Amino acid sequence: MVLYNLHHTFATRSILSGTEVTILQKILGHSEMSMTMRYVKIAEHCKVEAVVKFEKYRSVKMQEAEEKMGWCSRSPNFPHS
């Protein structure tokens, strides 16, 4: 099981770091591209998840900054760009 986990982690991180799918297919020894493509799907999910986490973080930080400066985005005194 440990070897499979290492294989899976390597493949996923390779795709996330920009390794071309055809290169990864050869490294992993997959005869079918569909076997390698599942790591692309996992990587896409990871990217979407990262953006969602960032947006939540940004939202919290913006709210903290507004509160610290005494601004309320719904108030008429809120500076708009």
Side-chain angles (χ1 to χ4, degrees), residues 21-76:
V21 180
T22 53
I23 302 290
L24 185 60
Q25 178 187 11
K26 291 176 183 174
I27 291 170
L28 298 175
H30 293 158
S31 58
E32 298 292 324
M33 181 59 77
S34 61
M35 293 293 290
T36 311
M37 288 303 291
R38 56 188 177 167
Y39 297 108
V40 173
K41 291 177 185 174
I42 292 168
E44 288 301 317
H45 173 76
C46 290
K47 290 177 186 178
V48 169
E49 194 174 279
V51 170
V52 168
K53 286 179 182 178
F54 173 77
E55 286 299 318
K56 285 181 183 177
Y57 172 82
R58 186 187 65 78
S59 176
V60 168
K61 291 300 177 186
M62 284 294 294
Q63 185 176 3
E64 289 173 359
E66 289 172 2
E67 289 170 1
K68 185 176 181 180
M69 299 176 95
W71 294 346
C72 174
S73 60
R74 291 174 294 283
S75 97

Side-chain angles (χ1 to χ4, degrees), residues 3-21 24-25 27-28 30 35-43:
L3 186 58
Y4 172 78
N5 288 342
L6 290 174
H7 179 89
H8 184 76
T9 300
F10 170 79
T12 303
R13 289 184 179 173
S14 293
I15 290 294
L16 286 170
S17 69
T19 302
E20 298 225 7
V21 180
L24 185 60
Q25 178 187 11
I27 291 170
L28 298 175
H30 293 158
M35 293 293 290
T36 311
M37 288 303 291
R38 56 188 177 167
Y39 297 108
V40 173
K41 291 177 185 174
I42 292 168

